Amino acid sequence: MVDVLRVPFPVLQSSPSLSFKPRLCPLIPPSRRLHLKSNSLLFPLFSSSPSFFKLPLRCSSPSMPLQLSSLSQDSLLYSRAYWVTKTIIAWNVDVVEGSCYLYASKVAALSVTDNGIQGHDLEIKLEEDRSGLPPNVIEKFPHIRDYRAFKLPPVLDAKNLVKCQLAVAEFNSQGKCRNATGLQLPGVLDELFSYDGPLGAFYSAEAVSLCLWAPTAQAVYAHIYKDPVGGSPLEIIPLEETNGVWSTKGPKSWEGCYYMYEVSVYHPSTLHIEKCYANDPYARGLSADGKRTLFVNLHADDLKPEGWDELADMKPDILSFSDISIYELHIRDFSANDDTVNADFRGGYMAFTLKDSAGVLHLKKLSKAGITHVHLLPTFQFAAVDDEKENWKYVDSKILEKLPPDSAEQQEKITAIQDDDAYNWGYNPVLWGAPKGSYSSDPNGPCRIVEFRKMIQALTHIGLRVVLDVVYNHLHANGPFDKDSVLDKIVPGYYLRRNTDGFIENSTCVNNTASEHYMVERLIIDDLLSWAINYKVDGFRFDLMGHIMKRTMVKAKDALCSLTKERDGVDGSRIYIYGEGWDFGEVAKNGRGINAAQFNICGTGIGSFNDRIRDAMLGGSPFGPPLQQGFVTGLLLEPNGHDHGTKDVEKAMLASAKDHIQVGLAANLRGFVLTDFEGKERKGLEVLCYGETPVGYAFCPTETVNYVSAHDNETLFDIISLKTPVGISVEDRCRMNHFATSIIALTQGIPFFHAGDEMLRSKSLDRDSYNSGDWFNRLDFTYNSNNWGVGLPPKQKNENSWPLIQPRLADPSFKPQRSHILAAVENFTDVLCIRYSSPLFRLRTANAIQERVRFHNTGPSWVPGFIVMSIEDGNEGIPGLSQLDPIGIIQ
């Protein structure tokens, strides 16, 4: 039968195991037929010829209906089978006496009926491999370890087949179709198309080259534009494919122009061949709002501030990561409300370049006291804030200032425009590799690049290194039509992690990415290297790091560490990385491979946030009862009326919290031995919390980032004001704030502070201010206000707590005065100076901490409310310890 088909290039070589059934065109819906003669046989649409995929296609529109059938539970809307290697498909079905087939359609014409799959170009019988999935597949896809393995013919031309709509169907012994579903392709794509060559745009003296990894695409074109928006393309260039990589070369005149990719590709979310328009995943420059990718050569001299190439030599010395202390700051928070900053610079990169603004003077003060790194919340291109300032909406702050401190009107006015104003934290990634346009003076052209570099340079001159907050765990958008979708347009179904039904996982919040896939991992590492080399960044904080594979994090660390001043212009050995090692969602307990959760990542030298010390100090957790108290907020000693249990229970809770804090003070080391509140000697790993979860997990001090507050949840002063008794004085609350920051400042490991902790910062008790505008997120570096009592916080995230919040905001005695703020800043910098006055507070090894750090006031006879710590230096009374500090014993 094959002889009667007109086959340009066979999908298969002859094989007795293959069942190939040509179908007549009438079985394909008329709107999707190729233009062949009536009743001609539909040949398999695969070819190595570049012109082959120029056959006429009908691309879908979003309004075209999806085809459903009586097998809707296992319709093609689902992708419950996995093509894991070239010759293996994994599917959770029990065939017994029946049979399975793989179907393909180049034009996405597959449909499901009770008789099976119709509209295919190709049908291949699958044979079950009774030995099951091989170990390498189970390691890569542990969540499908129990699936059946079905063999494909080894001669299959899989590289062309992945460009089609694919489905598998199961039939009983009578030939009736019982199950049908689509396929997930990352396994076979990784095996066949993993690639380490150039990607993105590359510049030589004579030409500009483009390379795009898109192995499932049927055609790719580059649309070249002169302007950032509007107008017709200067030219539309077809790219040529080599083993999944599409490339072209153009003239040097492209530099400074813009481009977009047009990708014709099957998209599993619509079941159609879609014509997708997308930015380059490796974009290093953009037009406003990422409408187009900018051709920009980051090595061009005119994009470098004066002295840029020598900046690595001007970086403040960091002898050890143990010397790091981190200050977390949002770019807009830093200057949006600072009248000492030129209006054109407020809320943007250039505010950091001023010499004597209130904010810059404050950063200089912190740097002098010991802060080493400024951690900037997301600075990449994110959604939810228009890059063009003329489109922003505002609320007149003078109107808001006249409203009562406990009024709901402020939040009503702020939330009415919150999606059209200038504010968002930025955890809505669109493109990871280009600076955000809204923070620049001009979001078009290379301005954002130059200004970002000037910001880094200015912070370096202050004496501060810079950490970027990177969000590789999810993307803002997906699908073929969303303007902010990029990766899911270019290789649909690959970059985003999917569940066993084939739908995108959303446990991070939305559109989880899949770093277990080779080219996702590669994109993450390439992006980190670009920021490190092209912007001379000194560290990276990984949002929801636990959703990234440990392997990816270790490879990223090694790649960064390999950078040298001589070759790359930066010293990679001084780049510190850390992140949120929370273990939840589909990745929990290594559900998708060994992930970068707290207990997995230890031993790598990568830091993770220590939530144990935070919760012990404040009480409960961010998700528990809002009035539950902790060591700092008055548990047992300053009761607030919350029912914690009997006095004995409260005393045990306080004692347990003390032990958790002490483990944190000893860098949360798993092996650190201390005497607990029962009088027993325990290792940090044996002190338990959170339903028998160990407190200590780190192998070395720099794997622990100790903190009591961050951008998430209430500010430190706000949570203290909420959890402490209503009747205590504002002076007592200020002392508690100072107590909390002092504990963090004196911990072994790396201390981390939320901007404003040192100024009693308030967000008017807002527990999630990511989209609460400048009003609730204000910082005042003139120290005149801490922003307390600026109205009830936004209803969406805070309404349940309004009955607790309103009387506190209404009470004028809760509001700190300027004298309180000034004292808080002075106290904070004094404790930082103490930390940096002696190396004993910054011990570099677990052994040194075990040998030198001691806790007193322990055991069952402890005096509640006191933590007593000593750090031993070498002297005549302590044989075997070398002297690190001539001052001697510190207590």
Side-chain angles (χ1 to χ4, degrees):
M1 291 180 65
V2 173
D3 290 339
V4 303
L5 293 174
R6 294 180 291 279
V7 183
F9 187 82
V11 175
L12 305 157
Q13 300 172 12
S14 60
S15 170
S17 64
L18 176 66
S19 170
F20 183 81
K21 299 179 181 178
R23 298 295 186 185
L24 295 177
C25 281
L27 293 175
I28 302 177
S31 65
R32 299 188 183 177
R33 294 180 198 160
L34 288 171
H35 302 305
L36 302 177
K37 293 181 180 179
S38 176
N39 291 330
S40 64
L41 290 170
L42 183 66
F43 49 76
L45 301 178
F46 308 92
S47 171
S48 60
S49 168
S51 63
F52 184 80
F53 289 113
K54 295 180 182 179
L55 289 168
L57 299 177
R58 286 185 179 269
C59 294
S60 68
S61 70
S63 61
M64 291 181 68
L66 299 173
Q67 293 186 333
L68 296 174
S69 73
S70 59
L71 291 173
S72 59
Q73 185 178 357
D74 282 301
S75 72
L76 304 187
L77 286 170
Y78 296 84
S79 296
R80 290 170 168 161
Y82 295 72
W83 193 350
V84 291
T85 72
K86 180 183 177 182
T87 59
I88 299 175
I89 288 176
W91 194 13
N92 192 25
V93 293
D94 190 359
V95 176
V96 192
E97 296 179 355
S99 56
C100 283
Y101 289 84
L102 170 68
Y103 299 91
S105 170
K106 168 67 168 59
V107 293
L110 298 183
S111 61
V112 182
T113 72
D114 290 340
N115 295 321
I117 304 289
Q118 304 296 324
H120 54 268
D121 312 328
L122 183 68
E123 180 183 66
I124 303 172
K125 188 173 182 180
L126 305 176
E127 300 293 337
E128 184 175 355
D129 183 347
R130 297 292 179 178
S131 62
L133 296 173
N136 65 311
V137 170
I138 293 173
E139 181 181 5
K140 187 175 180 68
F141 302 107
H143 61 297
I144 61 168
R145 63 174 63 247
D146 297 324
Y147 280 35
R148 303 296 180 98
F150 295 91
K151 293 186 293 185
L152 287 161
V155 291
L156 187 74
D157 183 9
K159 290 187 175 183
N160 276 318
L161 203 58
V162 297
K163 298 177 182 295
C164 297
Q165 181 186 21
L166 299 170
V168 289
E170 176 211 355
F171 298 84
N172 63 20
S173 57
Q174 287 76 43
K176 184 175 178 61
C177 185
R178 298 190 302 185
N179 271 315
T181 188
L183 275 75
Q184 299 189 38
L185 304 182
V188 69
L189 295 182
D190 278 353
E191 180 176 86
L192 297 179
F193 297 103
S194 291
Y195 170 74
D196 294 310
L199 289 172
F202 294 86
Y203 304 86
S204 67
E206 299 82 22
V208 177
S209 299
L210 289 175
C211 294
L212 178 72
W213 187 76
T216 61
Q218 296 183 0
V220 177
Y221 295 86
H223 292 232
I224 313 298
Y225 296 89
K226 177 64 176 175
D227 298 316
V229 66
S232 299
L234 296 174
E235 49 188 329
I236 300 176
I237 307 296
L239 276 68
E240 295 184 358
E241 182 186 15
T242 302
N243 200 37
V245 177
W246 299 77
S247 61
T248 190
K249 183 177 287 188
K252 186 70 171 173
S253 60
W254 280 1
E255 194 168 340
C257 294
Y258 297 84
Y259 66 103
M260 289 284 287
Y261 284 123
E262 174 195 316
V263 182
S264 294
V265 64
Y266 172 73
H267 208 292
S269 69
T270 65
L271 307 183
H272 296 311
I273 306 297
E274 302 291 359
K275 188 176 288 186
C276 301
Y277 295 90
N279 278 298
D280 192 331
Y282 279 73
R284 299 299 178 233
L286 296 165
S287 64
D289 296 314
K291 293 183 177 71
R292 292 169 182 167
T293 302
L294 175 67
F295 282 109
V296 59
N297 181 1
L298 295 181
H299 301 294
D301 289 339
D302 58 352
L303 300 185
K304 298 177 182 179
E306 184 178 353
W308 179 253
D309 287 333
E310 292 74 44
L311 191 64
D313 295 325
M314 302 178 67
K315 294 284 184 178
D317 287 337
I318 294 290
L319 299 179
S320 163
F321 287 155
S322 293
D323 295 329
I324 291 173
S325 55
I326 300 170
Y327 187 75
E328 182 196 43
L329 182 63
H330 184 272
I331 284 181
R332 187 159 179 85
D333 288 354
F334 176 66
S335 62
N337 295 283
D338 190 346
D339 291 338
T340 66
V341 174
N342 182 297
D344 292 337
F345 289 173
R346 287 178 201 160
Y349 303 128
M350 292 299 288
F352 291 89
T353 67
L354 303 179
K355 302 295 185 184
D356 55 1
S357 70
V360 168
L361 292 176
H362 185 76
L363 290 182
K364 288 179 178 178
K365 185 181 301 183
L366 297 182
S367 174
K368 183 178 179 181
I371 292 290
T372 62
H373 287 62
V374 168
H375 160 171
L376 298 175
L377 267 66
T379 57
F380 48 75
Q381 185 65 22
F382 58 81
V385 174
D386 197 307
D387 282 349
E388 298 185 286
K389 297 176 175 58
E390 57 267 27
N391 295 329
W392 295 347
K393 295 181 180 179
Y394 297 90
V395 177
D396 188 345
S397 60
K398 292 181 180 178
I399 295 174
L400 300 177
E401 288 167 358
K402 295 177 181 177
L403 296 171
D406 61 334
S407 169
E409 289 188 55
Q410 293 97 325
Q411 63 88 31
E412 288 176 1
K413 295 180 184 297
I414 294 297
T415 56
I417 64 160
Q418 64 181 4
D419 295 328
D420 299 303
D421 66 359
Y423 198 88
N424 197 283
W425 281 347
Y427 294 92
N428 320 307
V430 175
L431 283 158
W432 291 326
K436 175 61 176 168
S438 66
Y439 295 139
S440 66
S441 301
D442 183 354
N444 294 306
C447 179
R448 65 176 79 190
I449 296 165
V450 176
E451 292 187 353
F452 196 102
R453 286 173 164 174
K454 287 182 177 180
M455 174 184 68
I456 300 291
Q457 189 176 53
L459 287 166
T460 300
H461 291 162
I462 290 174
L464 295 168
R465 289 177 173 252
V466 180
V467 172
L468 296 190
D469 200 321
V470 289
V471 186
Y472 297 123
N473 62 81
H474 73 273
L475 291 166
H476 179 67
N478 71 77
F481 308 117
D482 194 306
K483 66 180 179 62
D484 292 323
S485 175
V486 177
L487 297 177
D488 200 42
K489 290 177 178 177
I490 291 171
V491 192
Y494 179 81
Y495 287 96
L496 301 180
R497 185 179 292 134
R498 295 197 278 173
N499 63 25
T500 51
D501 285 330
F503 300 123
I504 296 168
E505 293 279 12
N506 294 309
S507 56
T508 60
C509 66
V510 65
N511 300 319
N512 297 6
T513 53
S515 68
E516 59 270 26
H517 302 160
Y518 185 87
M519 296 302 288
V520 182
E521 177 179 87
R522 184 195 156 174
L523 177 57
I524 290 170
I525 294 171
D526 286 349
D527 192 69
L528 291 167
L529 292 173
S530 175
W531 285 110
I533 294 170
N534 295 317
Y535 294 95
K536 304 189 188 301
V537 169
D538 307 290
F540 298 94
R541 176 266 191 191
F542 284 74
D543 183 64
L544 297 184
M545 180 176 68
H547 269 67
I548 299 172
M549 294 300 108
K550 176 182 178 180
R551 180 193 68 181
T552 304
M553 294 299 303
V554 172
K555 287 176 71 173
K557 178 177 181 288
D558 291 345
L560 290 167
C561 193
S562 71
L563 301 177
T564 65
K565 284 186 183 180
E566 294 73 24
R567 184 185 67 242
D568 308 296
V570 294
D571 180 0
S573 69
R574 290 293 176 258
I575 295 176
Y576 180 64
I577 62 176
Y578 60 101
E580 296 177 304
W582 321 138
D583 193 34
F584 69 96
E586 75 282 359
V587 300
K589 299 179 181 178
N590 301 320
R592 294 300 182 99
I594 300 174
N595 64 329
Q598 287 169 329
F599 284 93
N600 288 336
I601 203 68
C602 55
T604 65
I606 296 169
S608 66
F609 284 97
N610 177 15
D611 51 339
R612 279 74 156 157
I613 194 170
R614 176 201 67 188
D615 293 348
M617 290 168 68
L618 299 179
S621 78
F623 313 105
L627 294 183
Q628 186 172 341
Q629 293 176 286
F631 195 91
V632 168
T633 55
L635 178 62
L636 180 68
L637 304 177
E638 292 282 358
N640 64 5
H642 177 71
D643 183 8
H644 294 93
T646 65
K647 285 293 181 184
D648 287 342
V649 169
E650 284 190 315
K651 188 172 182 179
M653 289 174 64
L654 185 64
S656 178
K658 177 182 69 74
D659 286 348
H660 297 182
I661 294 169
Q662 289 176 164
V663 175
L665 283 161
N668 219 53
L669 296 172
R670 61 170 54 201
F672 181 81
V673 179
L674 75 165
T675 302
D676 72 3
F677 71 92
E678 294 177 332
K680 299 176 181 177
E681 282 200 349
R682 296 189 190 274
K683 295 180 179 179
L685 195 66
E686 297 167 340
V687 180
L688 303 179
C689 67
Y690 304 148
E692 305 305 301
T693 300
V695 171
Y697 56 80
F699 279 102
C700 71
T702 55
E703 291 177 351
T704 294
V705 178
N706 281 315
Y707 77 115
V708 70
S709 73
H711 65 273
D712 283 318
N713 311 310
E714 294 89 348
T715 67
L716 176 58
F717 183 81
D718 280 351
I719 201 69
I720 288 171
S721 298
L722 188 64
K723 289 178 177 286
T724 50
V726 172
I728 70 170
S729 67
V730 68
E731 286 78 15
D732 283 342
R733 293 191 183 93
C734 293
R735 278 192 286 271
M736 290 177 177
N737 193 102
H738 178 52
F739 182 29
T741 57
S742 297
I743 289 175
I744 298 300
L746 298 177
T747 59
Q748 302 292 336
I750 293 177
F752 175 100
F753 305 98
H754 179 217
D757 279 353
E758 75 286 10
M759 300 187 298
L760 311 176
R761 182 184 187 176
S762 172
K763 297 180 182 179
S764 209
L765 289 164
D766 190 348
R767 75 181 315 272
D768 189 1
S769 68
Y770 81 100
N771 200 20
S772 298
D774 294 330
W775 179 254
F776 287 99
N777 286 286
R778 287 187 300 177
L779 279 171
D780 181 1
F781 292 112
T782 66
Y783 314 133
N784 287 314
S785 171
N786 78 329
N787 209 44
W788 172 269
V790 295
L792 285 169
K795 181 177 181 178
Q796 182 182 6
K797 297 293 183 75
N798 301 279
E799 185 179 18
N800 289 342
S801 295
W802 276 6
L804 294 173
I805 292 171
Q806 191 161 22
R808 288 166 170 79
L809 295 180
D811 187 342
S813 70
F814 274 73
K815 185 175 179 64
Q817 303 303 307
R818 188 170 194 269
S819 58
H820 297 123
I821 298 170
L822 289 170
V825 173
E826 183 177 1
N827 290 336
F828 181 81
T829 53
D830 284 349
V831 175
L832 275 179
C833 287
I834 292 172
R835 177 180 181 83
Y836 286 94
S837 69
S838 171
L840 295 175
F841 291 109
R842 294 166 282 122
L843 298 172
R844 298 182 183 182
T845 67
N847 285 341
I849 292 172
Q850 184 64 67
E851 291 172 346
R852 297 174 185 271
V853 174
R854 299 284 185 273
F855 292 102
H856 313 275
N857 189 34
T858 59
S861 61
W862 80 292
V863 179
F866 288 90
I867 293 175
V868 182
M869 177 180 73
S870 64
I871 310 174
E872 307 291 346
D873 201 2
N875 58 64
E876 295 179 1
I878 311 288
L881 283 183
S882 60
Q883 189 175 52
L884 301 179
D885 188 331
I887 297 175
I889 298 175
I890 293 180
Q891 284 186 280

